Amino acid sequence: DKLLRVGKETSIGVFLDGGSYGNILLPKRYVPRDCQLDSWVKVFIYLDSEDRLIATTATPMVKVGECASLKVVAVSRFGAFLDWGLPKDLLVPRREQAHLMQEGRSYVVYVYVDEKTETIVASYSLELFSNELGGDFVPQQAVDLLIYERSEIGFKAVVDGTHLGLLYANEVFQPLSVGQQVQGYIKGIRPDRRIDLALQLPNTVVQDTLAQRILDHLQANGGSSAFSDKSAPEAIYR
């Protein structure tokens, strides 16, 4: 996202001051109603089909430095093209495909800027871009997970959009699929700095949390509760 100043108004849209990149067109269909000369507009910059810088106020499904599950809309000898919410599809070059991608299927990819072409592209080889140093994660920390691949021993997941981790199959007790987003926990960080994940906290932590909630409930109700072993399960759960 960039905040750019309107430098010129035309019949096809407005030109924004892109500094060293010169004037950048914001097409008329994206120009806000209250937009005028010298006002500032928050836009997303990318290259159009003719490799010209162009601006849009539309929000793409994913931005540079992020991972997302996107659908392949076309495949060519250059690579696979993904729908990411903008007029020009996002390219995954063939060299960036862990295995050849198929039209109509969705894949979890990492979006970055190709230094040679200065264009935004995606990679299906997430391990090449992962930062597996463990960051500031600590055991039992709640994290957001994006499942990106099924392996022989479990499910690989993107952790908080920045790291890669592993859920072991024998510890997963719910259906999971590639592209699914779930909440999980840091199980531990191994000596090689790779991250082990879990979908549930250890039983002792869950029990301690439940015990505290029961105590809080009793204290809030004068030391007693209307619930008993004859109460409806739905009511107790709620």
Side-chain angles (χ1 to χ4, degrees):
D1 288 331
K2 297 289 184 181
L3 192 62
L4 300 180
R5 182 180 63 83
V6 177
K8 183 180 179 181
E9 297 177 303
T10 71
S11 60
I12 61 173
V14 300
F15 282 93
L16 307 175
D17 182 4
S20 60
Y21 291 99
N23 292 328
I24 300 174
L25 175 65
L26 175 63
K28 190 173 183 178
R29 65 180 179 274
Y30 296 121
V31 177
R33 291 184 178 181
D34 59 349
C35 183
Q36 56 186 347
L37 197 63
D38 290 329
S39 62
W40 294 80
V41 184
K42 187 176 183 180
V43 294
F44 181 82
I45 307 296
Y46 67 104
L47 293 177
D48 66 9
S49 57
E50 298 182 11
D51 290 335
R52 299 172 300 188
L53 283 175
I54 194 166
T56 177
T57 51
T59 303
M61 299 176 186
V62 63
K63 300 175 184 178
V64 171
E66 297 178 346
C67 293
S69 177
L70 302 176
K71 186 176 182 178
V72 177
V73 294
V75 174
S76 75
R77 62 188 180 89
F78 300 106
F81 294 89
L82 310 176
D83 175 14
W84 65 323
L86 296 181
K88 182 183 178 182
D89 296 325
L90 181 64
L91 173 66
V92 181
R94 290 180 70 94
R95 67 178 185 277
E96 295 295 348
Q97 298 180 33
H99 51 262
L100 292 181
M101 304 169 81
Q102 301 176 21
E103 184 175 342
R105 292 189 57 184
S106 295
Y107 300 85
V108 175
V109 297
Y110 174 81
V111 178
Y112 70 103
V113 175
D114 187 318
E115 295 182 354
K116 293 183 179 180
T117 62
E118 295 187 346
T119 58
I120 299 175
V121 295
S123 174
Y124 181 41
S125 300
L126 270 62
E127 284 82 359
L128 298 178
F129 296 90
S130 66
N131 178 1
E132 297 179 326
L133 299 178
D136 296 325
F137 296 126
V138 295
Q140 299 179 6
Q141 177 181 342
V143 290
D144 292 323
L145 304 179
L146 174 60
I147 307 301
Y148 76 89
E149 186 177 320
R150 177 74 186 264
S151 74
E152 294 181 355
I153 58 175
F155 295 87
K156 297 180 181 180
V158 181
V159 185
D160 278 353
T162 61
H163 294 68
L164 300 183
L166 179 66
L167 287 162
Y168 292 94
N170 62 351
E171 298 176 357
V172 175
F173 305 104
Q174 68 184 66
L176 291 178
S177 59
V178 173
Q180 184 176 350
Q181 294 180 322
V182 294
Q183 186 182 59
Y185 300 90
I186 301 296
K187 180 180 179 181
I189 300 175
R190 290 182 277 162
D192 60 4
R193 308 307 293 166
R194 293 178 181 268
I195 302 172
D196 288 338
L197 302 168
L199 293 180
Q200 299 88 18
L201 287 170
N203 287 337
T204 53
V205 176
V206 174
Q207 291 169 0
D208 289 346
T209 302
L210 177 60
Q212 186 59 54
R213 291 180 65 185
I214 293 173
L215 287 173
D216 292 341
H217 171 72
L218 290 172
Q219 291 174 353
N221 290 275
S224 62
S225 175
F227 295 110
S228 70
D229 56 0
K230 295 182 180 181
S231 299
E234 296 80 8
I236 294 175
Y237 181 80
R238 184 172 63 250

